[in-house]
Structures are given as C-alpha cells and as structure tokens.
Amino acid sequence: MSPRTPEPFTTPRLDALPLRVEYADEMAAVLADPALHTFTGGAPETPEGLRTRYARQTAGSPDPDELWWNWVLRAGDALVGYVQATVRGDRAEIAWVVGVPWQGRGYAGEAARGLVAHLREGGVTTVVAHIHPEHAASAAVAAGAGLARTGEWEDGEERWRLGL
C-alpha cells in the first residue's frame, strides 16, 4: 500500500476507490441528510467544504508516522458512502458512512468487512473503531467486521477492537 494514496479494493457489490477532490460534488449529495450527524454532531458540508476537506485528506497527515487512507464507495454507477482508516504502524482506526438512501442494504457492513480484510493484507494487526453507545447500526457493523467492545471510552464513544 502506498503511504499517500491507498490501493483500491472491492467487495462483491462495492468498489472502494481512493478519495479524490473531484468526488466532492457527488459526495456532498450522498452525505446531505442531517440524520447522518445524529451521533457524530455537525451538519452536512457543502461541495466547497468537502473539496477543502478532501484536499487536506488527500495531501496526507502532517505526521510522517501516520497515514490517512480514505476511500469513496461506489455501488454500480453511484457513490454511496465512504470508509477511512488512520494507520499508525500495524494499528488502524477505522470509520464508515453510508448515505441515508443506501442504508439498510448491508453496504456499511460489507464495506467494513472489506476494509478490515484490505488492511490485514497490508500488514495491519489491530483495528479500532469508536461507536456511539446508542448507534445500534454502527455497533452491528463493527461486530460483523469482527470487532468487539472493549469497555474503554473516549469522547462519549466506546472503543471496539479487533486484534488480527
């Protein structure tokens, strides 16, 4: 895996494509529903805001020991969400978001399982996610990807971990 740009990966129904600034307009529509921010706070970003964020993310972490790997998820001809991993050594912290119109189809679970497998192939041995205690869907995605509750908390979210 390249430190600056992650390798793409696929699952049976999804293509995980390395993030590019050019995806901002379509992703702004994918992420436009305020319901996506129920557990994380904030509000949907404008295309301009996403372009700025994507430029920063694709430039990479200012910390040379930390990698920022971000992918958009494509199902057929449409972008439906994203996955991301912050990698430090053999440890990765992951997250996933699927747009509201595509939720309930198993895309988040499929993407998270694919991401964990992809990271494992790249040498990652520990995967961590932070889940809001009331976000049952994210807890189910984490469990389906093999992560387990740790009982550890950070900023009101429980840490889930998978040691590979």
Side-chain angles (χ1 to χ4, degrees), residues 31-114:
L31 304 173
D33 194 316
L36 289 175
H37 301 273
T38 300
F39 297 105
T40 60
E45 289 191 62
T46 64
E48 297 78 22
L50 278 182
R51 275 192 288 279
T52 299
R53 178 162 46 119
Y54 289 177
R56 188 174 60 252
Q57 288 175 323
T58 57
S61 172
D63 180 345
D65 294 328
E66 183 174 86
L67 304 173
W68 292 346
W69 287 338
N70 298 276
W71 298 263
V72 294
L73 301 171
R74 183 176 63 201
D77 293 333
L79 296 181
V80 301
Y82 67 87
V83 292
Q84 59 189 36
T86 300
V87 182
R88 184 179 276 284
D90 63 356
R91 183 179 194 269
E93 293 200 15
I94 65 170
W96 52 85
V97 174
V98 170
V100 171
W102 298 277
Q103 291 180 3
R105 300 180 192 188
Y107 287 143
E110 184 174 327
R113 289 188 305 274

Side-chain angles (χ1 to χ4, degrees), residues 142-156:
L147 283 76
R149 287 186 155 105
T150 65
E152 300 165 0
W153 294 83
E154 184 177 328
D155 296 327

Side-chain angles (χ1 to χ4, degrees), residues 3-22:
R4 284 192 135 317
T5 304
E7 294 294 323
F9 65 93
T10 60
T11 68
R13 299 179 299 156
L14 299 168
D15 293 314
L17 308 171
L19 182 66
R20 295 185 354 209
V21 174
E22 293 79 20

